[in-house]
Amino acid sequence: MIKKLLIANRGEIALRIMSAAKELGIKTVMVYSEPDKNSMPVQLADEAHCIGPAQPSESYLNIPAIMTAAELSGADAIHPGYGFLSENPRFAEIVESSGLIYVGPKPEHIKLMGDKQLARGTMESLGVPILPGSNGVVKRIGDARRTASKIGYPIILKAVAGGGGRGMRIINSSAELEESFNTAQRESYMAFGSPELYIEKYIERAHHVEVQVIGDGTKAISIGDRECSMQRRHQKIVEEAPSPFISQATRKKMLETVEKAAMHLKVRSLITFEFLVDDKEDFYFIEANTRIQVEHAVTEQVNWLDLVKEQLLIASGKGFSFVKEGINHRGHAIEARINAEDPRTFSPSPGKIQFLFIPGGNGIRVDTAVFQGYEVSPYYDSMLAKVISYGRTRDEALKKLETAINHTSIVGVKTNLPLLLSLIKSPEFKSGNYTTRFLEEEFNW
Ligand code: ADP
């Protein structure tokens, strides 16, 4: 069993990992940047090491500093959380070649899924449906033209190395393609260090539904699905499990298709397979995330699991603690992400939290690391807290979430609380049939 775990992250996910580790009797080591010196994870860990200044490139992305902290502390494992180094195959390789345990998927799978075009091709070869699009990377405008006229507009131009909702452009006509192709290549190079692009058919009324998979390196299980269609700037803001949109028959097909592919790949730890689902409930793979997801909590609540504990057990060579037949699907869970941002422009709002109240109560789980007096840094992600409600039915979970968000009060920074409340109360959200364009294109508030 892992004895001492270094957590290479910050904020709520660092605390989340820490509680799972403590439950398993594992000692915890935090690494932190200078402004995070007084953060909750640093205060609550058994041991903490400063790894550099605020800029992520000099601290949370600083592999030599993190590896030095691991050596100094005698940690035998590293959990990368999400964001930062969590999908960096080189980091996973360095951790493993230093004789430490990497709590996450195999480096080869991180590499494979990090190249979205390669991931697409691999999944297709494993019998998973993908969207019509380019066959590999589109290097020249001529190739882009040919693919676009074959599949028809609108199309979406995507950066092979893209992520976090960035590196995507919707193209509606050949004129737009001529105008945008070179700029998109340049932008992709600037943002991700690679100009490579690929093309997919753009689905106008899409649902984002994803499947959580767990594996021990030899066998894999599809645990369940999540609906993540409530997005701004292609980034999720409210998620729920199970998806209120897809039918039982679609769910069964989707979970089985994914499980077969995951079994074939022999995945280890947690991987999420993301799909777009159209009006007819046809589903298409778009990408896979080789890490714990922000929205993992909704899956935990409806399946009575602790996914981080499972990750630690798998990494310790013990396999996961349940069998497929033993998964106890029950009720419904919804997560709302409270961000320090302007609710209309979505621009981040750093500053000091002067007052904070987030209620708990029956059917409410709050994952957060912020407190009154906490300084929201401009250097890091703007998410302050995740409020997760769960109940016997979707309606019950929805009402609990509405009350919890309504009773939450944060003063000192702008937050998206008013937006979340309006969204949760909207008839469209209540109906359970909302697409990825709802928040930004159809929702008037
Ligand atoms: P990222 O890695 O940046 O999160 P994804 O490929 O997961 O990128 O896509 C993020 C979101 O962008 C999707 O959930 C969806 O809203 C939108 N999107 C991506 N591809 C398409 C597509 N082909 N058609 C319609 N929407 C898309």
Side-chain angles (χ1 to χ4, degrees):
M1 193 68 198
I2 295 171
K3 290 196 172 56
K4 204 170 189 184
L5 177 72
L6 184 144
I7 301 169
N9 215 295
R10 65 185 300 284
E12 68 87 20
I13 195 62
L15 278 186
R16 169 72 192 85
I17 296 163
M18 196 178 295
S19 42
K22 292 199 171 182
E23 221 183 292
L24 291 170
I26 299 171
K27 291 246 172 289
T28 53
V29 181
M30 279 306 304
V31 289
Y32 63 94
S33 67
E34 283 160 13
D36 281 344
K37 186 165 184 272
N38 297 316
S39 67
M40 288 314 288
V42 172
Q43 292 186 46
L44 294 172
D46 294 306
E47 190 177 329
H49 296 260
C50 183
I51 47 166
Q55 288 88 343
S57 59
E58 291 180 46
S59 47
Y60 296 105
L61 296 172
N62 183 346
I63 299 178
I66 294 169
M67 296 311 292
T68 306
E71 196 175 336
L72 284 174
S73 62
D76 56 352
I78 299 186
H79 195 310
Y82 54 66
F84 297 124
L85 293 167
S86 64
E87 287 178 294
N88 181 328
R90 208 168 66 85
F91 180 58
E93 267 163 18
I94 291 171
V95 172
E96 292 193 345
S97 62
S98 309
L100 302 184
I101 297 169
Y102 179 77
V103 185
K106 298 174 185 171
E108 74 209 61
H109 290 150
I110 305 177
K111 195 181 266 167
L112 166 69
M113 299 306 179
D115 181 325
K116 294 173 112 187
Q117 172 57 32
L118 202 59
R120 212 171 107 83
T122 306
M123 294 310 279
E124 186 183 26
S125 72
L126 294 175
V128 181
I130 59 166
L131 285 165
S134 56
N135 207 346
V137 174
V138 191
K139 290 216 166 67
R140 286 181 202 84
I141 177 85
D143 303 332
R145 249 184 244 130
R146 268 189 296 279
T147 304
S149 59
K150 199 169 79 208
I151 64 176
Y153 290 92
I155 58 159
I156 184 163
L157 265 184
K158 289 186 170 183
V160 165
R166 298 177 314 133
M168 284 180 277
R169 250 169 206 256
I170 301 154
I171 312 272
N172 291 300
S173 66
S174 54
E176 256 182 55
L177 180 66
E178 302 293 328
E179 229 177 79
S180 310
F181 189 77
N182 290 336
T183 327
Q185 273 186 329
R186 242 192 339 270
E187 277 179 5
S188 168
Y189 180 70
M190 302 289 277
F192 312 108
S194 155
E196 295 192 330
L197 302 175
Y198 67 102
I199 290 176
E200 263 177 8
K201 176 84 187 153
Y202 179 71
I203 308 195
E204 292 184 78
R205 303 200 54 76
H207 287 257
H208 176 121
V209 181
E210 57 189 33
V211 177
Q212 178 68 66
V213 167
I214 192 166
D216 63 6
T218 50
K219 63 177 186 307
I221 295 178
S222 280
I223 297 178
D225 58 289
R226 295 185 283 257
E227 170 95 33
C228 307
S229 303
M230 199 56 85
Q231 302 178 352
R232 53 126 181 75
R233 299 187 169 165
H234 302 307
Q235 287 175 316
K236 303 157 192 168
I237 192 163
V238 180
E239 303 98 339
E240 48 184 322
S243 160
F245 174 68
I246 59 171
S247 64
Q248 253 333 89
T250 304
R251 170 169 297 116
K252 186 165 180 287
K253 202 162 135 203
M254 207 164 168
L255 265 61
E256 279 175 5
T257 309
V258 171
E259 195 170 281
K260 220 169 107 212
M263 272 287 211
H264 190 274
L265 289 168
K266 297 192 173 21
V267 303
R268 182 183 82 190
S269 201
L270 297 178
I271 300 195
T272 299
F273 292 83
E274 300 192 332
F275 290 85
L276 291 182
V277 183
D278 66 16
D279 288 343
K280 299 196 296 288
E281 289 192 48
D282 285 328
F283 56 87
Y284 306 94
F285 169 82
I286 47 170
E287 68 156 350
N289 290 128
T290 47
R291 57 172 161 80
I292 184 102
Q293 303 262 106
V294 175
E295 62 272 22
H296 74 278
V298 290
T299 303
E300 291 187 325
Q301 293 309 133
V302 296
N303 293 299
W304 287 73
L305 291 172
D306 183 322
L307 292 174
V308 182
K309 247 163 72 179
E310 297 300 336
Q311 279 191 304
L312 294 169
L313 289 171
I314 295 164
S316 300
K318 299 203 177 298
F320 40 92
S321 71
F322 56 91
V323 291
K324 189 174 166 180
E325 296 69 31
I327 299 178
N328 183 8
H329 299 285
R330 211 161 94 168
H332 199 92
I334 313 177
E335 169 179 283
R337 301 188 191 189
I338 304 178
N339 296 331
E341 67 186 19
D342 184 297
R344 290 186 190 274
T345 63
F346 308 125
S347 56
S349 172
K352 194 180 186 122
I353 297 182
Q354 278 142 15
F355 179 82
L356 176 88
F357 176 72
I358 310 179
N362 187 343
I364 294 295
R365 162 176 169 181
V366 179
D367 282 19
T368 186
V370 302
F371 47 86
Q372 196 156 311
Y374 180 88
E375 190 78 39
V376 182
S377 165
Y379 287 101
Y380 310 118
D381 189 84
S382 61
M383 194 174 76
L384 299 178
K386 308 188 302 202
V387 177
I388 303 115
S389 71
Y390 48 96
R392 284 168 301 182
T393 60
R394 182 172 188 265
D395 191 47
E396 196 175 272
L398 210 109
K399 287 192 175 119
K400 284 178 190 288
L401 185 65
E402 185 181 323
T403 309
I405 295 294
N406 203 7
H407 290 179
T408 297
S409 170
I410 301 174
V411 179
V413 292
K414 284 190 207 165
T415 72
N416 62 345
L417 281 166
L419 169 65
L420 289 173
L421 193 60
S422 304
L423 278 174
I424 297 162
K425 287 164 81 166
S426 69
E428 291 85 352
F429 188 69
K430 286 201 164 126
S431 78
N433 187 356
Y434 51 93
T435 69
T436 54
R437 58 196 276 168
F438 172 68
L439 198 167
E440 278 186 286
E441 291 177 39
E442 297 161 1
F443 186 47
N444 278 321
W445 70 293

